[in-house]
């Protein structure tokens, strides 16, 4: 799946195999050996390149895999089996991986300039310059998100058990609802 909700200064496509014309960039958390992942080809202002974004080695069944534009027009987000990589399309050697994982849902809050990612326990927003905010832990093990509306993001913590609704202010990351955890 490719979602280009934000204006992007590039084109991107998923590949089934690497192009025959040379090597590819590899993106792997903590220097892991790349053993499978998401193959992409990017066409940017400074040229085209291909890359292999490593799958997380272990992940939950709900872990997400997709490609997203971001609030920064020269940054692409590739989520590979729950690990979210943010790659500078003009200089692919400049990239970072979101420390929160596995990502189970992604929403584009274009009016607020945020790409919002949910893990089974919290919500993280990435803006033009990186992580804008993180909620404290909202769930024991599972979050579902609705589409952002009117500056808010609504969701359900632990939808399969004792579900608890929550709402997050997209400007600040403050929330109401969800579960409370004494260690936070």
């Amino acid at each position: 799946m490719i979602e280009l909700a934000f204006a992007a200064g590039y084109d991107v496509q998923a590949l089934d195999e690497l192009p025959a014309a040379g090597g590819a960039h590899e993106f792997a958390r903590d220097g892991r050996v790349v053993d499978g992942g998401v193959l992409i080809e990017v066409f940017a202002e400074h040229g085209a390149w291909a890359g292999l974004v490593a799958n997380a080695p272990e992940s939950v069944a709900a872990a997400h895999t997709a490609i997203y534009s971001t609030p920064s027009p020269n940054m692409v987000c590739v989520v590979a089996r729950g690990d979210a990589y943010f790659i500078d399309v003009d200089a692919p050697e400049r990239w970072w991986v979101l420390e929160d994982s596995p990502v189970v849902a992604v929403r584009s809050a274009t009016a607020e300039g945020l790409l919002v990612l949910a893990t089974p326990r919290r919500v993280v927003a990435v803006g033009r310059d990186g992580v804008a905010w993180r909620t404290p832990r909202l769930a024991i093990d599972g979050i579902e998100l609705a589409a952002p509306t009117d500056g808010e993001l609504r969701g359900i913590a632990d939808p399969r058990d004792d579900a608890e609704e929550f709402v997050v202010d997209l400007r600040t990351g403050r929330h109401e609802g969800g579960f409370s955890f004494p260690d936070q």
Side-chain angles (χ1 to χ4, degrees), residues 72-162:
S72 174
N74 67 330
M75 186 77 60
V76 64
C77 174
V78 180
V79 181
R81 209 165 70 189
D83 278 348
Y85 293 82
F86 291 82
I87 305 164
D88 184 325
V89 298
D90 292 321
E93 65 278 0
R94 291 194 309 241
W95 60 275
W96 57 278
V97 63
L98 188 68
E99 65 185 56
D100 305 273
S101 67
V103 171
V104 296
V106 179
R107 300 291 181 267
S108 295
T110 55
E112 291 78 17
L114 297 171
L115 187 65
V116 182
L117 303 97
T119 72
R121 297 184 175 137
R122 77 180 69 243
V123 178
V124 181
V126 175
R128 189 177 185 98
D129 298 320
V131 174
W133 51 258
R134 282 181 175 83
T135 65
R137 187 172 178 181
L138 298 174
I140 295 169
D141 193 27
I143 288 180
E144 288 183 4
L145 297 178
T149 57
D150 299 325
E152 295 181 337
L153 179 68
R154 296 189 172 277
I156 301 173
D158 298 313
R160 290 164 219 28
D161 297 317
D162 297 325

Side-chain angles (χ1 to χ4, degrees), residues 123 133 135-139 145 151-157 164-180:
V123 178
W133 51 258
T135 65
R137 187 172 178 181
L138 298 174
L145 297 178
E152 295 181 337
L153 179 68
R154 296 189 172 277
I156 301 173
E164 186 71 28
E165 292 183 6
F166 64 86
V167 62
V168 178
D169 182 324
L170 288 168
R171 293 172 299 281
T172 65
R174 290 191 196 138
H175 77 283
E176 292 180 17
F179 289 96
S180 295

